[in-house]
Amino acid sequence: MPHKQAEPAANSSRRTFLQSAAATAGAGTLLRGQGISQEIKVGLIGCGGRGTGAAAQALQADDYAVLTAVADIDSERVEACLEAVGKRHEGTDKVRVGRKGRFLGLDAYQSVIDSDVDVVLLATPPGFRPAHLRACIEAGKHVFCEKPMAVDSPGVRSVLETVQMSESKHLSLVAGFCWRYNNMVAEAVEQVRSGAIGDVVAYYATYYTNPVKPMPPAYERPLGMSDVEWQIRNWYNFVWTCGDGLVEQAVHSVDKIAWVMGDKPPESCVAVGGRQIPAHDGNIFDHFEVNYLYPGGVRAFMGCRQIAGCHRENADYVLGTKGRLTIGRGLLPRIEGENPWVFRGQQNNMYQEEHDVLFRAIRRGEPVNDGVRMAHSTQLAILGRTAAYTGQQLTWVQGMESQEKRFPDNLSWDMAHDVPPLARPGQTKFV
């Protein structure tokens, strides 16, 4: 192996600064008001809509955050992302992605990591997340990691190993489970934990919406395009790339269930689901209903659907022995019952708050780590999906130990890749 060159003094100095910010900041004071202008270099992996938003928010979170490297599979998407982020920060020098900082291809993520960035934003399709997160933490980078964190249980176990590594390295890891950073919902959850509705006996969450990205017919596939490229470009329609609608979208509501339940796992779950509207290709369901059983007979129900022309709702109903909390039906969370309550404050921007928390932690040298709960919420959704696919009642332990691997090994751009057919409950086996 070639000898690794010594790190340039400027880079070493910046890293030392980032690691020792707490000593210079003092008592939680941010550095930005003290005439110190050390930059935090940001890299983006995945330049779609969510990645573009995350990059703009990351640059907003710190006066001296600058975007220096990006990666994607599509050059047009890279250019559109940089243009959009540039407009959000017009008049500043925050977007500094030259031609050498734009990387394309399945291995482009590693080029971003190797480009001397300090923070990496992970916003690719979730199937890639375990490998990308591992590479970031091994390289000593702070991370903003979009949800979900994996598409299968082996991926979740990999993420949990990486989380342990991030903790040992004192790195910050913030998850894209944005509702945890919504001050209205956070106050509502605190009300529940303080006993405002008594003992929780049931939770009903809804995520009824339109299809995210319908699968185009096969005749629209360009001549010569490989299976892998076609599937990644239509990533939302394949379990190996997106995890299905319950795991990729409704996992937000699953995460809120986990939050209210104290991030303790359920005992088991059963679920139903299927494909009501035929698709040209792909292998995801368009509706699920999951029933989680928690200790003491407490039940949590998760209903999600992605079918056009149907009732739309994203809400949470938490039932207790002394009242009920409702979130999402009306402008403000509210409790009805023995201890009435309505949120009265000013709602924050939860997407921005995620990045504010991350960059504040970096500046102060006080790592924040969402790793364990983000992995467990992802697994909770995977457990529900697997119960629906198989038609079986599954325990939390079974789900965590599942050997079903959806994401392929040794993935290459030109390879052939046959996806499993649409699951058939009662016939699809638990692995």
Side-chain angles (χ1 to χ4, degrees):
M1 293 180 62
H3 179 69
K4 184 177 180 180
Q5 294 182 345
E7 184 177 35
N11 294 337
S12 176
S13 175
R14 190 177 78 255
R15 286 216 174 90
T16 300
F17 153 73
L18 292 170
Q19 293 168 358
S20 63
T24 56
T29 303
L30 294 183
L31 297 176
R32 62 181 62 183
Q34 301 180 9
I36 299 175
S37 61
Q38 287 89 341
E39 294 173 347
I40 298 179
K41 293 184 177 181
V42 179
L44 170 64
I45 300 172
C47 296
R50 183 74 281 270
T52 299
Q57 288 143 7
L59 299 188
Q60 181 67 31
D62 188 273
D63 288 348
Y64 303 111
V66 293
L67 183 66
T68 60
V70 298
D72 201 273
I73 63 165
D74 191 306
S75 60
E76 292 183 3
R77 195 150 53 208
V78 166
E79 298 307 317
C81 170
L82 293 176
E83 180 179 1
V85 177
K87 286 183 178 179
R88 286 277 298 272
H89 293 279
E90 193 170 4
T92 72
D93 189 29
K94 283 180 164 284
V95 180
R96 302 183 194 172
V97 185
R99 289 296 164 187
K100 292 184 178 180
R102 308 176 191 202
F103 304 103
L104 297 175
L106 293 180
D107 59 352
Y109 74 96
Q110 191 64 55
S111 297
V112 168
I113 294 170
D114 293 341
S115 69
D116 195 37
V117 295
D118 304 296
V119 182
V120 179
L121 316 177
L122 297 180
T124 62
F128 296 92
R129 204 89 75 222
H132 290 181
L133 180 60
R134 176 66 61 90
C136 288
I137 298 304
E138 285 180 341
K141 311 299 182 181
H142 303 285
V143 176
F144 170 77
C145 184
E146 252 307 339
K147 59 76 203 165
M149 286 65 200
V151 297
D152 51 32
S153 297
V156 170
R157 293 194 294 271
S158 171
V159 168
L160 285 169
E161 292 173 357
T162 302
V163 169
Q164 287 187 323
M165 189 188 308
S166 71
E167 291 173 341
S168 67
K169 292 187 172 187
H170 306 292
L171 295 169
S172 285
L173 172 56
V174 168
F177 282 117
C178 52
W179 292 103
R180 301 267 186 155
Y181 292 93
N182 182 299
N183 62 328
M184 291 199 310
V185 179
E187 189 169 330
V189 172
E190 186 58 35
Q191 288 288 324
V192 171
R193 290 183 174 172
S194 68
I197 65 171
D199 296 330
V200 173
V201 295
Y203 193 129
Y204 172 49
T206 62
Y207 206 104
Y208 300 133
T209 184
N210 286 331
V212 174
K213 186 178 180 183
M215 186 70 192
Y219 63 76
E220 292 187 10
R221 177 173 171 172
L223 186 65
M225 180 177 285
S226 71
D227 291 345
V228 166
E229 181 176 359
W230 176 246
Q231 291 163 25
I232 291 176
R233 290 188 182 279
N234 296 284
W235 65 272
Y236 194 84
N237 296 276
F238 299 94
V239 180
W240 76 271
T241 44
C242 83
D244 211 319
L246 174 61
V247 177
E248 210 287 325
Q249 287 280 298
V251 70
H252 275 304
S253 296
V254 172
D255 181 58
K256 283 183 277 183
I257 291 173
W259 191 7
V260 169
M261 298 299 180
D263 288 308
K264 304 297 183 183
E267 294 175 352
S268 64
C269 81
V270 295
V272 297
R275 184 87 201 178
Q276 183 67 32
I277 307 300
H280 301 289
D281 200 351
N283 61 346
I284 66 170
F285 283 5
D286 57 15
H287 64 279
F288 290 89
E289 186 82 22
V290 186
N291 179 338
Y292 296 103
L293 173 61
Y294 282 85
V298 176
R299 297 278 182 175
F301 306 92
M302 175 70 245
C304 65
R305 178 180 57 218
Q306 294 176 332
I307 301 177
C310 297
H311 170 66
R312 298 178 65 182
E313 178 179 295
N314 184 355
D316 302 85
Y317 308 89
V318 188
L319 308 181
T321 55
K322 295 181 180 180
R324 59 191 179 276
L325 166 67
T326 302
I327 302 170
R329 295 289 288 179
L331 296 177
L332 302 172
R334 65 186 183 279
I335 289 176
E336 299 167 290
E338 293 184 20
N339 303 293
W341 170 85
V342 177
F343 178 80
R344 296 298 186 187
Q346 180 68 39
Q347 182 182 3
N348 69 351
N349 181 327
M350 60 185 179
Y351 302 104
Q352 185 60 54
E353 182 68 13
E354 295 172 317
H355 295 275
D356 290 349
V357 167
L358 173 60
F359 282 84
R360 187 161 57 241
I362 294 170
R363 283 291 179 192
R364 291 176 175 175
E366 300 172 355
V368 59
N369 200 309
D370 297 339
V372 172
R373 66 169 174 80
M374 77 184 193
H376 283 178
S377 289
T378 298
Q379 178 60 36
L380 190 58
I382 291 172
L383 180 66
R385 180 197 71 197
T386 307
Y389 280 6
T390 62
Q392 304 303 312
Q393 181 175 1
L394 301 175
T395 67
W396 174 259
V397 173
Q398 283 179 298
M400 284 298 297
E401 295 178 350
S402 170
Q403 299 302 307
E404 182 182 45
K405 197 173 190 306
R406 288 282 180 167
F407 196 83
D409 293 321
N410 303 315
L411 188 69
S412 65
W413 192 243
D414 296 324
M415 69 185 279
H417 183 243
D418 293 328
V419 298
L422 194 70
R424 301 187 69 178
Q427 297 182 28
T428 298
K429 302 300 182 182
F430 173 76
V431 180

